[in-house]
Amino acid sequence: MRDLSKALGYCRVSTQRQHTEGHGLERYIDRLKQYGLTEAQIYWDIESGSSEKREGYNKVLEKVRLGQVDQIIVPCFDRFTRSALGWEVARQELQMSGVELVFLDGGSLDLETPEGLFTSRILAAMAAQVRDKNRYNSIQGHRFFQEKRKIYQAIFGLKKDGDTVKPNLDPYKETGLTVRDVALEIIELFLDTGNLSATIEYLCNSYGYDRHRIKHLDFPRSPSSLKRWLENPLICGRIRYYAEEKDKTLILDSDHEGIIDLETFNQISALLERNAAGRRHNQANPLVSLCYCGHCGRRMRKITLTRSDRNQRYHNEYLQCLGAKNRAGKEIICDYKKFYRYEDAIASVIKALTTKASAIASDLDRDEEIQVPSEIIELQKEIIKLKALNDSDYQPVIVKKEQKLETLIRGLESNAESTSRRYEEYLEVLQIRNSWDKLSRSELTPIFQDLIAKVVCSTKADGTHCFSVDFNT
């Protein structure tokens, strides 16, 4: 019978996809449990084995330093680390504490013997070599696909066609619609509601909650996956490379047929950007992050108070100073505990906007010269210098810089276009006084967040509440 009272298990996978699609992490954890470890004894990460910032990995080493461990059970060596240098650091910790590294696939490492040390270094070098080879192959694959403008895989609404994709005209379940039809319906729904969750809820009610076993043949079923799908330029006939690395992301023109045009894609991007700037996606609260206490300067928060009256419940919304709230570990710094009616604050902001509407509209209506980022200017200079050298060896570098320049310019144009469209909508609202009553809170949110800098809540000597509004423009 094994004594596992001071043993810990550790496992990891490198990517979220390995976890969700390959179920690798679940299999490793299940094997560790079969070995005899409890759930509380098992630590895990979804991160590269070369990283020394893994949370689970560092918790294991912390327990080693505290002398709480005599064995670490891992599926195999490279599930523990893929870094030769990282292994040397961890090895010293294990060796000093007399901890044995045990492998589920057989054997263990006795770090007290020269043979054990030698074997561990060989395993670390081999794991690092596999990591470097995978990384090299991945980079070369990216370059090859990028040069040939090939497409890795299809997304919902499209299907693979050799090295490219095309609209998917296959039937979607037994609905009488094609996969492309459903994809277009998703886009129309989102443009109409501006809400990711509401779009998904409608689709699930219409087409069922059962997922398709092939991922790209099913519509996105979470707000984050729907957002990624809507942001993917494949749907408008373009290609994106290095999507996971924002500083390296390239968006290039392609010959494949999309399911929407570029103008519609830009409308989607503007709506997603507006929701994000709707400060942190809180569409039901137009004043989120804008209100401050006029007595202590702390931020105000929205709260809902409920009262009952003759079997009826009433919900009233208020603003409360965070400095006057008794929170664990936070001292009360504001003794002014009165609540401000939330609707009064919204009404005051609308009144301030209406009063200053002509001035704001004038500022928004003024054509401003687009400021070209210094990065674009420097990149253009670099390309000119490299071309002037007339050296064929520099051609791959020039092509890469030109692709990056194209992406930056398109991004600048897209941002300018979405900003212009948003300002046109604001102008319409500002110039029609009676239009405010027709706007929902989700529609007020982007307007407030873009045009208002701060709302200060204070109380006059006679006890009446007042709100002062500072503008961004």
Side-chain angles (χ1 to χ4, degrees):
M1 187 72 178
R2 302 187 188 102
D3 180 12
L4 299 176
S5 58
K6 294 185 68 176
L8 291 181
Y10 177 78
C11 55
R12 66 162 193 88
V13 291
S14 298
T15 64
Q16 187 68 36
R17 180 173 293 177
Q18 287 177 298
H19 171 43
T20 56
E21 297 181 13
H23 305 286
L25 193 60
E26 294 175 21
R27 288 186 284 110
Y28 290 143
I29 291 174
D30 186 58
R31 288 183 62 194
L32 289 168
K33 288 180 179 178
Q34 290 177 17
Y35 189 83
L37 296 173
T38 65
E39 188 90 37
Q41 290 176 290
I42 299 173
Y43 293 82
W44 51 270
D45 289 300
I46 303 176
E47 200 164 349
S48 168
S50 62
S51 171
E52 307 306 322
K53 296 181 180 179
R54 288 172 280 156
E55 184 178 354
Y57 175 80
N58 284 305
K59 284 182 179 178
V60 170
L61 292 184
E62 181 62 30
K63 289 187 176 290
V64 168
R65 297 183 195 106
L66 294 173
Q68 299 175 358
V69 184
D70 60 10
Q71 290 183 81
I72 298 176
I73 320 298
V74 295
C76 55
F77 186 88
D78 64 6
R79 295 301 92 191
F80 188 69
T81 182
R82 281 192 182 275
S83 166
L85 179 59
W87 166 246
E88 285 301 312
V89 175
R91 176 194 59 76
Q92 291 180 10
E93 301 274 8
L94 303 185
Q95 194 173 1
M96 288 173 59
S97 301
V99 177
E100 182 182 20
L101 194 65
V102 179
F103 307 124
L104 288 179
D105 54 4
S108 63
L109 284 178
D110 183 357
L111 301 177
E112 298 296 328
T113 66
E115 290 78 11
L117 287 174
F118 177 74
T119 301
S120 76
R121 286 168 177 151
I122 292 295
L123 289 172
M126 291 174 64
Q129 182 192 29
V130 172
R131 176 205 68 205
D132 293 340
K133 187 175 181 180
N134 289 341
R135 185 179 296 167
Y136 175 80
N137 289 338
S138 175
I139 292 172
Q140 295 304 312
H142 277 304
R143 287 177 178 170
F144 176 75
F145 268 69
Q146 182 182 323
E147 289 171 2
K148 302 293 183 181
R149 306 246 170 151
K150 293 186 175 185
I151 296 173
Y152 292 101
Q153 59 186 9
I155 59 174
F156 184 71
L158 301 168
K159 66 185 296 186
K160 282 288 284 182
D161 182 23
D163 290 329
T164 185
V165 292
K166 62 182 181 181
N168 191 343
L169 303 180
D170 295 340
Y172 183 75
K173 296 183 177 180
E174 297 177 356
T175 60
L177 301 173
T178 66
V179 176
R180 182 185 65 174
D181 293 336
V182 178
L184 288 171
E185 185 178 7
I186 294 174
I187 292 167
E188 290 172 6
L189 279 168
F190 178 71
L191 288 173
D192 183 47
T193 65
N195 189 299
L196 296 168
S197 298
T199 301
I200 294 168
E201 183 179 0
Y202 179 89
L203 292 167
C204 288
N205 289 334
S206 299
Y207 301 112
Y209 288 83
D210 294 333
R211 297 175 181 270
H212 198 288
R213 61 185 181 85
I214 301 177
K215 189 175 180 180
H216 77 273
L217 295 181
D218 196 12
F219 61 82
R221 292 176 178 267
S222 71
S224 58
S225 60
L226 178 56
K227 183 174 183 291
R228 287 195 298 271
W229 182 78
L230 290 167
E231 290 175 332
N232 196 320
L234 278 182
I235 63 176
C236 71
R238 305 177 76 194
I239 318 174
R240 179 176 61 189
Y241 297 103
Y242 310 108
E244 304 300 325
E245 304 174 71
K246 291 189 180 297
D247 58 328
K248 294 183 179 179
T249 299
L250 284 175
I251 298 177
L252 307 175
D253 289 329
S254 172
D255 293 331
H256 80 268
E257 181 185 352
I259 57 177
I260 58 174
D261 56 29
L262 183 58
E263 182 180 354
T264 305
F265 183 74
N266 286 335
Q267 289 177 11
I268 294 170
S269 300
L271 190 54
L272 289 170
E273 180 186 348
R274 178 189 299 176
N275 286 347
R279 268 210 239 236
R280 283 56 81 172
H281 203 89
N282 193 341
Q283 292 190 348
N285 183 3
L287 295 174
V288 62
S289 301
L290 294 179
C291 296
Y292 293 83
C293 176
H295 302 275
C296 72
R298 292 291 296 274
R299 197 182 297 275
M300 308 285 284
R301 66 165 189 153
K302 181 168 80 77
I303 63 171
T304 303
L305 299 180
T306 304
R307 66 181 180 88
S308 299
D309 182 17
R310 294 184 181 180
N311 299 324
Q312 292 218 10
R313 294 171 67 85
Y314 299 92
H315 302 281
N316 296 315
E317 295 174 312
Y318 297 93
L319 290 167
Q320 181 192 27
C321 174
L322 285 174
K325 184 177 182 297
N326 188 10
R327 296 182 292 165
K330 303 285 185 180
E331 63 175 317
I332 296 176
I333 63 171
C334 183
D335 60 359
Y336 198 83
K337 298 182 174 60
K338 280 192 178 253
F339 297 134
Y340 295 81
R341 286 181 60 84
Y342 185 76
E343 287 297 336
D344 291 347
I346 288 182
S348 296
V349 173
I350 290 175
K351 182 178 179 181
L353 282 169
T354 304
T355 302
K356 202 182 176 184
S358 58
I360 296 174
S362 176
D363 287 339
L364 295 178
D365 200 27
R366 190 183 301 124
D367 290 331
E368 294 187 4
E369 184 179 349
I370 297 177
Q371 296 295 317
V372 180
S374 59
E375 185 179 5
I376 290 181
I377 297 172
E378 292 301 320
L379 204 52
Q380 289 173 327
K381 290 179 180 178
E382 290 174 13
I383 293 171
I384 292 172
K385 287 180 181 178
L386 288 171
K387 286 183 174 180
L389 296 173
N390 198 25
D391 189 334
S392 60
D393 290 341
Y394 287 113
Q395 190 57 34
V397 180
I398 294 172
V399 170
K400 187 174 181 180
K401 288 184 180 293
E402 286 178 334
Q403 290 172 344
K404 184 177 180 180
L405 179 63
E406 179 185 356
T407 301
L408 291 172
I409 291 174
R410 287 190 179 277
L412 181 65
E413 292 173 346
S414 177
N415 288 338
E417 184 177 346
S418 64
T419 300
S420 175
R421 188 181 299 109
R422 189 167 71 249
Y423 282 178
E424 286 175 8
E425 294 172 0
Y426 295 169
L427 282 170
E428 184 178 350
V429 173
L430 289 164
Q431 291 168 352
I432 304 174
R433 288 177 177 271
N434 296 330
S435 63
W436 293 102
D437 294 336
K438 300 175 184 178
L439 298 180
S440 65
R441 285 189 179 179
S442 62
E443 291 171 319
L444 286 174
T445 297
I447 300 175
F448 280 21
Q449 297 297 326
D450 275 355
L451 302 183
I452 304 300
K454 181 188 287 189
V455 179
V456 179
C457 309
S458 56
T459 306
K460 296 180 180 179
D462 61 1
T464 58
H465 293 166
C466 60
F467 306 90
S468 61
V469 180
D470 294 338
F471 296 91
N472 279 326
T473 54

